[in-house]
């Protein structure tokens, strides 16, 4: 997304903050896919808490869990990014 935004001079609102969330989700996803869900010590758990809006490591140090309410909010946030991006690309 970032490459295409720059290449086509598209701007999305609050993109830097939104990108941090997407990047964090990529790290968490990779841990699930490649490490059986175990999050290594190299991840900044305070940054996760700040970006996710809650302590996802509260119940376990290596297995993040997001509350249902925040999960729904996150899905809506990602949908918003996808919708805004798709609309910008369509009107290029």
């Amino acid at each position: 997304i970032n490459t295409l935004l720059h290449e086509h001079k598209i701007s999305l609102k609050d993109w830097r903050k939104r990108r941090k969330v997407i990047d964090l989700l990529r790290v968490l996803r990779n841990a699930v896919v490649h490490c059986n869900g175990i999050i290594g010590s190299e991840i900044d758990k305070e940054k996760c808490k700040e970006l996710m809006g809650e302590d996802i490591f509260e119940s376990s140090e290596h297995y993040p869990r997001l509350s249902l309410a925040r999960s729904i909010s996150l899905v809506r946030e990602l949908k918003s990014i996808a919708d805004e991006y798709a609309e910008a690309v369509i009107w290029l």
Side-chain angles (χ1 to χ4, degrees):
I1 293 176
N2 205 43
T3 301
L4 292 173
L5 290 177
H6 289 295
E7 186 175 317
H8 296 289
K9 296 176 180 59
I10 298 170
S11 63
L12 300 178
K13 63 183 174 196
D14 300 327
W15 176 239
R16 288 179 191 247
K17 181 178 183 247
R18 291 163 121 186
R19 179 167 179 200
K20 288 178 184 178
V21 172
I22 290 171
D23 289 344
L24 174 62
L25 286 174
R26 190 183 75 248
V27 168
L28 295 173
R29 177 223 168 260
N30 287 345
V32 168
V33 172
H34 302 294
C35 302
N36 294 325
I38 299 172
I39 304 298
S41 59
E42 69 278 355
I43 195 164
D44 183 347
K45 293 180 179 170
E46 282 303 312
K47 188 169 195 145
C48 288
K49 186 175 181 178
E50 175 188 327
L51 290 173
M52 299 306 271
E54 64 186 38
D55 184 0
I56 62 174
F57 296 99
E58 182 177 22
S59 60
S60 172
E61 184 177 332
H62 297 291
Y63 295 100
R65 293 181 67 189
L66 196 58
S67 69
L68 177 60
R70 182 59 185 124
S71 295
I72 291 169
S73 173
L74 182 61
V75 168
R76 287 183 179 140
E77 185 176 344
L78 295 172
K79 180 187 180 307
S80 169
I81 293 168
D83 288 347
E84 187 177 344
Y85 176 76
E87 187 174 322
V89 170
I90 287 172
W91 298 112
L92 276 178

